[in-house]
Amino acid sequence: MARPMVMTLFPETQAFAQRSTQAQPALSVRNLTKRFGNEIVLNDVSFNVAEGESLVLLGPSGSGKSTTLRIIAGLETPDSGEVVLHEREIEHLRARDRNVGVIFQNYALFPEMTVAENIGFGLKIRGVKARKRAEVVDRLLEMINLNDQRDKKPRHLSGGQQQRVAIARALAYEPEVLLFDESFSALDPHTRVGLRREIRQLLRRLRVPALFITHDQEEAMELGDHIAILNKGRLEQIGTPQEIYNDPQTEFVATFLGSANVLKGEWQDGLIRLDHGYFVVPPHEAFDIPIDDGERVKIIFRPEDVLLSTMLGVAESPYHLGEGEVTEVKFTGATEAVTIRLLNSPLRPSRPQLVTSISEHTEAKAKECFVKTLRSKWDARRVRLAPGNRVSIGLKAHKLLRGDTE
Amino acid sequence: MAVASSNLSAVKKKRRFDLAKPTGISLVVVAMLPLVIMPLLSIFIFGFSKGPSHFLEALVNPAAIFSLKLSLITSSVATVCNVVFGVLAAWVMTKYEFRGASALMIVISLPTAIPTAVAGFALLLLWGPFGLLGQFLEATDWQIMFTTAAIILANIFVTFPLAFGTIQPALENFDTNLEDAAETMGASRWQAFRYVVLPSLRTAIITGALLTFARSIGEFGSTIMVSGNMMMKTQTAPLYIYARYNDGDVEAANAIAIVLAIISFAIFSLIMIFRKRLER
């Protein structure tokens, strides 16, 4: 069942180069569903990984990302759905017949084998003769720069070295896809950053498709050509890191990748009545389907997209949210974090309808609503702010979402 | 920091002399002298009291040599059987969940709790001339009781859970990710077992084998029931010691006792070494 072994080896591999010309996605996951007992772990998850591309499955623990990886690897069977690897349906195949390379969380290096034996294991199983095997192992050891450690047992290596061995071991038999299962979480931060860069370069050169599993957004941003966000077994959004960050389709995506302010409310007479008790003018964008009064909406925006101005009422930004009072200013190095409490009093006499104070009854119910903002050093110096200052809040970018689901 | 710790040790040194410590240690040693240490020493003292030539003479007696050989052979066979069984049973009990698993666990562990004479008697009842299975053998030329096979069966019975007992926990602790890794790399289940699982169990297997062997080679109670204790036929080393002593030939008994004791010491040291490794 295994593909014919092409023995021209790394770094420039024919097999990978050939595959890269195909238009079809290298790996395709279609409508995967998986239950453990009553609990639904994966709910109709579909995505593609193009040839030579890396996709990061990002999600909190319990989101189903590890199960997805194990299903692709053949270590778990889906209840329904398909896994297609280079136009070959593989979901019914045993793990050993799939020709995938898995880099496990704790590397799962074989403790009783030397580094060289670990790397050569896949080839040994495939019946590759010892001499050929040694050639490949040598080349891979060279690649990961561990030639002098070849006869050591894995436990004598550092975490970073172990991970490089795990990668070399997976690459040795030229898998059709590489699957990284939280492969960086056990490393110290310094090693992690260095290794990520190395792996990214390596993947670019080999053009082997890769799937990373992680809960670390920084890692996702750095490693992924595309990022897929999983939450409670559902795929929330898939796209380039820029798309996901700048144009989140759900509140979960916005808050999981980066931080975001979420103002919830409902549509009322062409305004948005926030749950905190007061009204803001909705942004200009129109919905395709007309919106009814009482329908739930959310305004989502990132802290760095907030423009603060001491000139009250002047909208320097595309969307003027309202007025607020500075409650906290915190210097964090590269940026300044400013917390603003939304004010519900009409601060702009010229256009009083924009931020509307409502009946006292409602006002009494109003809860405090805080907005997190980040300013550049430049802005911080230009417009100095201190707690108690009144500011007008403009948004350079925002997202208006309908519905109340996360 | 360094100053602080040296101060601490100074405080420790200044502590008053504690009488309980030397008293406790001497009590243990004094108690052990007649109970353990002196009996063991007396084997060697008596064995060599008439000079090494006497000892060697007693040793090269054909019946003595035969009994030692028989013990080594039967113990080895029993050890191999129980290690193979131990690995298999450990695998089944660790990897699979099934109804009656805990009952099976008890049955596997039971034999060491049964008095050896009872074990031997039970085997006799099963395989003896009127036994459940033995009555069918009666009609054939095959005979199990009072042969080498009986000794092996008895050894297997009394040492049954020993290898399992060391292998099963080791397998329980084994990182199943390693098997998954082997499988994704193309290994069949057997290959994963052969190249990845088994090497990791090596220390546990050796320890289990040594325990089984050590227990087998000294087995007396069950062996005397099932072997018939026939000199040059089914007489193992422990039976030889007993038989010689009964005949009043203390020197002959002593010579073999020394050999058995030395073998046991050697195995015991090995077990200690491998136990340490297992704990790592």
Side-chain angles (χ1 to χ4, degrees):
Chain A
M1 212 50 237
R3 292 172 136 247
M5 282 291 300
V6 185
M7 293 305 301
T8 50
L9 266 149
F10 299 98
E12 275 72 44
T13 306
Q14 262 183 11
F16 293 146
Q18 278 169 5
R19 287 186 220 133
S20 67
T21 57
Q22 295 162 355
Q24 288 283 330
L27 171 70
S28 193
V29 164
R30 294 173 194 157
N31 311 104
L32 276 193
T33 299
K34 173 81 182 172
R35 277 187 188 77
F36 287 136
N38 275 334
E39 194 190 351
I40 184 147
V41 194
L42 282 181
N43 189 357
D44 200 27
V45 168
S46 304
F47 57 81
N48 289 329
V49 185
E51 199 57 72
E53 182 196 84
S54 57
L55 173 72
V56 176
L57 287 186
L58 178 66
S61 58
S63 59
K65 52 191 196 306
S66 271
T67 307
T68 309
L69 178 137
R70 289 180 67 82
I71 288 174
I72 296 170
L75 300 170
E76 205 88 67
T77 40
D79 293 337
S80 62
E82 289 159 19
V83 181
V84 181
L85 186 57
H86 290 113
E87 293 165 71
R88 187 165 64 110
E89 274 195 31
I90 60 166
E91 76 275 352
H92 59 278
L93 293 181
R94 285 175 298 199
R96 60 171 152 135
D97 296 324
R98 296 191 180 198
N99 206 27
V100 299
V102 186
I103 291 87
F104 287 84
Q105 185 166 12
N106 294 313
Y107 320 126
L109 296 178
F110 306 133
E112 305 295 327
M113 296 185 198
T114 64
V115 166
E117 285 168 342
N118 261 285
I119 296 174
F121 184 72
L123 297 175
K124 182 176 172 180
I125 290 299
R126 284 165 174 75
V128 176
K129 292 273 181 329
R131 193 134 57 82
K132 268 261 169 75
R133 220 157 64 206
E135 258 172 57
V136 179
V137 171
D138 284 345
R139 213 168 304 184
L140 284 163
L141 278 169
E142 191 107 358
M143 184 187 84
I144 59 170
N145 217 354
L146 286 180
N147 238 327
D148 48 335
Q149 315 281 324
R150 59 176 303 142
D151 294 324
K152 286 195 182 167
K153 295 279 172 67
R155 64 174 166 275
H156 299 303
L157 303 185
S158 72
Q161 289 174 327
Q162 289 188 27
Q163 203 210 29
R164 292 192 340 234
V165 174
I167 293 168
R169 184 178 74 167
L171 285 171
Y173 52 94
E174 300 191 4
E176 291 175 51
V177 63
L178 281 179
L179 308 172
F180 293 80
D181 188 7
E182 302 260 12
S183 308
F184 301 88
S185 55
L187 297 171
D188 66 86
H190 184 73
T191 318
R192 202 184 305 173
V193 170
L195 260 174
R196 284 205 298 247
R197 200 156 303 144
E198 267 179 56
I199 286 167
R200 186 135 178 83
Q201 282 164 3
L202 182 71
L203 290 176
R204 284 239 178 82
R205 205 172 61 194
L206 301 177
R207 292 197 57 72
V208 56
L211 184 75
F212 293 89
I213 299 292
T214 185
H215 58 265
D216 180 337
Q217 45 165 303
E218 188 191 311
E219 192 175 308
M221 295 280 219
E222 185 169 341
L223 288 170
D225 295 317
H226 287 91
I227 296 176
I229 310 263
L230 275 175
N231 179 31
K232 293 177 186 156
R234 278 179 353 107
L235 198 145
E236 298 258 337
Q237 190 174 352
I238 182 166
T240 63
Q242 290 88 337
E243 283 168 350
I244 301 275
Y245 190 80
N246 293 330
D247 192 17
Q249 298 302 311
T250 67
E251 180 189 339
F252 179 82
V253 171
T255 50
F256 193 73
L257 191 75
S259 67
N261 293 291
V262 180
L263 300 182
K264 296 182 188 185
E266 60 186 48
W267 198 266
Q268 221 169 77
D269 298 326
L271 293 173
I272 296 169
R273 182 179 179 277
L274 295 180
D275 292 347
H276 305 87
Y278 35 86
F279 288 84
V280 294
V281 183
H284 311 300
E285 69 230 44
F287 290 108
D288 294 340
I289 304 161
I291 190 157
D292 294 324
D293 270 6
E295 197 173 326
R296 303 287 300 170
V297 289
K298 290 186 263 207
I299 308 166
I300 296 175
F301 53 96
R302 301 217 175 267
E304 71 271 21
D305 287 334
V306 179
L307 200 61
L308 298 175
S309 163
T310 45
M311 309 254 290
L312 300 183
V314 178
E316 284 180 57
S317 52
Y319 175 35
H320 183 84
L321 185 72
E323 317 295 333
E325 182 193 330
V326 176
T327 58
E328 195 184 11
V329 179
K330 226 188 206 158
F331 173 69
T332 62
T335 53
E336 184 188 69
V338 182
T339 310
I340 313 284
R341 183 168 60 86
L342 272 186
L343 291 176
N344 57 352
S345 56
L347 289 170
R348 290 187 298 167
S350 55
R351 291 164 72 193
Q353 76 277 19
L354 289 186
V355 171
T356 315
S357 169
I358 24 191
S359 71
E360 264 159 42
H361 172 66
T362 320
E363 206 170 345
K365 271 202 331 194
K367 282 175 279 177
E368 294 195 321
C369 170
F370 294 97
V371 171
K372 294 174 290 182
T373 75
L374 281 180
R375 303 201 298 166
S376 68
K377 268 192 214 164
W378 171 258
D379 287 336
R381 207 172 323 149
R382 215 165 44 118
V383 184
R384 292 184 190 273
L385 291 175
N389 289 163
R390 290 207 160 187
V391 288
S392 103
I393 304 162
L395 302 184
K396 289 181 268 188
H398 67 274
K399 188 85 193 167
L400 185 64
L401 296 176
R402 295 172 78 159
D404 217 6
T405 51
E406 230 198 307
Chain B
M1 225 29 235
V3 177
S5 65
S6 68
N7 275 347
L8 242 166
S9 58
V11 169
K12 242 185 202 169
K13 268 180 207 155
K14 267 187 210 160
R15 260 182 61 175
R16 253 187 320 137
F17 176 70
D18 185 1
L19 197 65
K21 186 176 166 184
T23 317
I25 294 171
S26 343
L27 267 177
V28 171
V29 173
V30 167
M32 281 187 74
L33 270 173
L35 293 175
V36 179
I37 300 169
M38 277 160 63
L40 280 176
L41 277 177
S42 52
I43 304 176
F44 292 91
I45 291 166
F46 279 102
F48 294 117
S49 59
K50 289 182 183 166
S53 57
H54 266 270
F55 167 73
L56 281 178
E57 209 174 289
L59 202 61
V60 293
N61 178 318
I65 300 270
F66 177 88
S67 73
L68 272 177
K69 263 196 200 160
L70 183 65
S71 275
L72 289 174
I73 290 168
T74 52
S75 301
S76 303
V77 174
T79 301
V80 170
C81 288
N82 275 348
V83 164
V84 170
F85 175 82
V87 173
L88 176 73
W91 182 269
V92 170
M93 299 309 291
T94 311
K95 298 284 166 183
Y96 304 115
E97 279 174 21
F98 53 94
R99 281 179 57 178
S102 46
L104 188 56
M105 194 75 158
I106 291 171
V107 174
I108 292 173
S109 316
L110 195 58
T112 39
I114 291 179
T116 52
V118 176
F121 187 59
L123 284 172
L124 264 180
L125 287 184
L126 180 64
W127 293 107
F130 306 107
L132 275 175
L133 296 171
Q135 54 184 307
F136 302 109
L137 284 178
E138 202 60 350
T140 68
D141 288 341
W142 291 85
Q143 251 269 330
I144 287 184
M145 281 302 106
F146 318 120
T147 67
T148 309
I151 299 168
I152 293 171
L153 276 182
N155 277 350
I156 288 177
F157 188 101
V158 297
T159 63
F160 201 62
L162 292 178
F164 171 80
T166 57
I167 296 165
Q168 201 263 343
L171 195 59
E172 195 90 53
N173 288 334
F174 184 76
D175 179 8
T176 51
N177 264 340
L178 297 180
E179 286 170 89
D180 285 350
E183 228 186 304
T184 60
M185 293 172 78
S188 66
R189 265 209 262 185
W190 167 248
Q191 284 169 320
F193 179 75
R194 163 78 187 73
Y195 293 118
V196 178
V197 182
L198 210 50
S200 295
L201 296 182
R202 195 179 49 214
T203 309
I205 287 174
I206 293 173
T207 309
L210 287 171
L211 278 171
T212 310
F213 190 82
R215 181 79 173 72
S216 288
I217 200 151
E219 177 52 24
F220 183 83
S222 62
T223 316
I224 202 155
M225 301 287 296
V226 300
S227 68
N229 193 12
M230 292 172 275
M231 196 189 266
M232 298 295 285
K233 242 184 122 193
T234 59
Q235 195 170 63
T236 62
L239 300 192
Y240 178 86
I241 295 171
Y242 180 68
R244 293 294 80 209
Y245 174 76
N246 269 357
D247 291 353
D249 190 352
V250 181
E251 277 165 42
N254 206 333
I256 297 300
I258 287 175
V259 174
L260 273 190
I262 289 172
I263 291 175
S264 304
F265 288 149
I267 295 173
F268 181 72
S269 321
L270 285 175
I271 290 174
M272 294 302 270
I273 291 169
F274 281 99
R275 273 257 170 88
K276 273 227 175 83
R277 271 216 233 165
L278 256 188
E279 278 159 16
R280 258 199 291 139

